[in-house]
């Protein structure tokens, strides 16, 4: 008689585990447990919610496109492709020898597995291939992506077009205060380590040298460029120990995760983006 409660408990635990397993289905049809990290919300004529890893990868994909002077449409195609292929995660496995954000295959000439798992390298290779596709700017998102990827599911990329357009509008600087990420708890990095990580990541993504100091200050030529940088900074906040970002008389802070107006000595105009790490 004493064994029945144990059996019932085991069944309940099993059912609960299976429920969590099936509820946690990924966008691409696989099964994956949910992340426990902070979330980011992007609002730009629509709304998209990502975790901090996905958000950082999306920002890097966009920055590489902007650095290459690719149009916003190219960023939309790249983001939709990464959504479908990896759920914007830098995977170390995939179908056959596929790896990385775009599930590129070393055996198909995309590069070594180590190179492909560098998000900047992978994004750069994707844009290079897209640029060679004749007439890609006039194609549907899924058709342009398929010309590069040659997937067994050629129409799958289109289902991510709307989300990718929201992200691209924000990350290319056409929306104001559009990326908000809350970073609570103990910072990943502090002080010199945080400043170094932030400066290095910024330089690698944008090709712009940034001073390795607790306060990263970048001059910009117009509000659009400023919001490109500001949104990139917020997107990478969780992994770099970023505490606050200021631009255009507005400020984002890590624990709150929102853009708020600032006054007095903390104000900066449209010509400078200021980022501060945790000390």
């Amino acid at each position: 008689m004493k064994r029945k409660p144990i059996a019932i408990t085991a069944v309940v635990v099993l059912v609960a585990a299976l429920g969590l397993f099936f509820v946690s289905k990924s966008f691409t049809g696989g099964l994956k447990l949910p992340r426990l990290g902070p979330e980011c919300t992007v609002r730009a004529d629509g709304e998209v919610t990502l975790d901090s890893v996905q958000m950082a990868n999306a920002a890097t994909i966009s920055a590489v496109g902007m650095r290459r002077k690719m149009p916003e449409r190219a960023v939309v195609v790249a983001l939709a492709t990464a959504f479908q292929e990896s759920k914007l995660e830098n995977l170390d496995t995939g179908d056959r020898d596929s790896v990385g954000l775009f599930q590129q295959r070393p055996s198909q000439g995309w590069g070594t597995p180590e190179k492909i798992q560098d998000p900047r390298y992978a994004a750069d290779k994707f844009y290079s291939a897209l640029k060679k596709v004749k007439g890609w700017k006039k194609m549907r998102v899924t058709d342009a992506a398929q010309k590069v990827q040659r997937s067994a599911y050629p129409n799958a990329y289109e289902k991510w077009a709307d989300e990718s357009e929201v992200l691209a509008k924000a990350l290319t600087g056409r929306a104001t205060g559009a990326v908000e990420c809350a970073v609570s708890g103990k910072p990943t990095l502090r002080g010199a380590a945080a400043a170094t990580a932030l400066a290095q990541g910024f330089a690698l993504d944008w090709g712009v040298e940034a001073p390795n100091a607790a306060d990263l200050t970048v001059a910009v030529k117009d509000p659009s460029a400023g919001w490109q940088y500001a949104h990139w900074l917020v997107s990478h906040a969780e992994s770099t120990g970023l505490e606050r970002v200021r631009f255009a008389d507005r400020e984002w802070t890590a624990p709150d995760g929102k853009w708020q107006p600032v006054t007095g000595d903390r104000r900066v105009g449209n010509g400078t983006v200021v980022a501060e790490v945790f000390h």
Side-chain angles (χ1 to χ4, degrees), residues 256-273:
D256 177 63
K258 306 291 184 182
W259 285 96
Q260 305 286 358
V262 291
T263 58
D265 294 341
R266 299 195 62 78
R267 293 177 59 188
V268 294
N270 292 329
T272 306
V273 180

Side-chain angles (χ1 to χ4, degrees), residues 30 50 63 83 88 95 125-126 145-146 155 205 231 237-238 268:
L50 302 175
F83 256 126
L88 284 171
D95 180 45
K125 293 291 284 187
F126 180 87
Q146 174 63 4
N155 293 311
D205 275 15
H231 290 155
E238 197 276 335
V268 294

Side-chain angles (χ1 to χ4, degrees), residues 14-245:
L14 178 60
V15 170
L18 288 172
L20 177 61
F21 184 64
F22 285 105
V23 166
S24 303
K25 295 180 73 174
S26 74
F27 295 125
T28 54
L31 292 168
K32 185 166 185 171
L33 292 176
R35 289 188 178 277
L36 300 178
E39 287 189 341
C40 299
T41 301
V42 182
R43 297 181 180 90
D45 292 334
E47 183 173 311
V48 176
T49 300
L50 302 175
D51 67 34
S52 59
V53 173
Q54 293 171 313
M55 192 69 241
N57 285 329
T60 288
I61 290 170
S62 179
V64 172
M66 295 294 96
R67 174 161 52 82
R68 290 179 55 103
K69 301 188 184 305
M70 297 292 285
E72 185 177 325
R73 181 67 172 177
V75 176
V76 173
V77 175
L79 289 170
T81 302
F83 256 126
Q84 172 61 23
E85 296 290 355
S86 68
K87 205 175 65 171
L88 284 171
E89 296 185 12
N90 193 20
L91 304 178
D92 58 5
T93 59
D95 180 45
R96 289 171 282 188
D97 59 336
S98 301
V99 294
L101 287 169
F102 298 92
Q103 288 291 279
Q104 294 155 332
R105 298 180 61 192
S107 63
Q108 300 301 307
W110 288 99
T112 65
E114 293 76 18
K115 285 184 176 180
I116 294 172
Q117 281 201 274
D118 176 350
R120 300 166 186 98
Y121 173 91
D124 189 68
K125 293 291 284 187
F126 180 87
Y127 287 121
S128 292
L130 179 64
K131 197 172 183 179
K132 294 176 183 177
V133 175
K134 186 176 180 180
W136 71 266
K137 295 179 184 178
K138 297 181 180 180
M139 294 179 182
R140 292 189 304 157
V141 168
T142 199
D143 294 334
Q146 174 63 4
K147 288 289 186 180
V148 176
Q149 298 296 106
R150 300 183 181 182
S151 168
Y153 305 96
N155 293 311
Y157 305 103
E158 193 67 24
K159 66 187 176 186
W160 303 111
D162 291 344
E163 289 87 343
S164 298
E165 287 173 1
V166 171
L167 290 175
K169 183 173 183 179
L171 293 170
T172 60
R174 290 202 306 114
T176 299
V179 177
E180 296 186 322
C181 303
V183 185
S184 59
K186 185 179 179 180
T188 304
L189 298 169
R190 285 182 178 273
T196 298
L198 186 62
Q200 288 180 346
F202 188 88
L204 288 170
D205 275 15
W206 291 101
V208 177
E209 290 298 326
N212 187 357
D215 295 348
L216 186 152
T217 303
V218 183
V220 294
K221 61 182 180 180
D222 55 47
S224 178
W227 285 114
Q228 287 176 21
Y229 290 158
H231 290 155
W232 181 94
L233 288 162
V234 173
S235 299
H236 287 269
E238 197 276 335
S239 62
T240 59
L242 190 64
E243 182 179 14
R244 66 182 72 245
V245 179

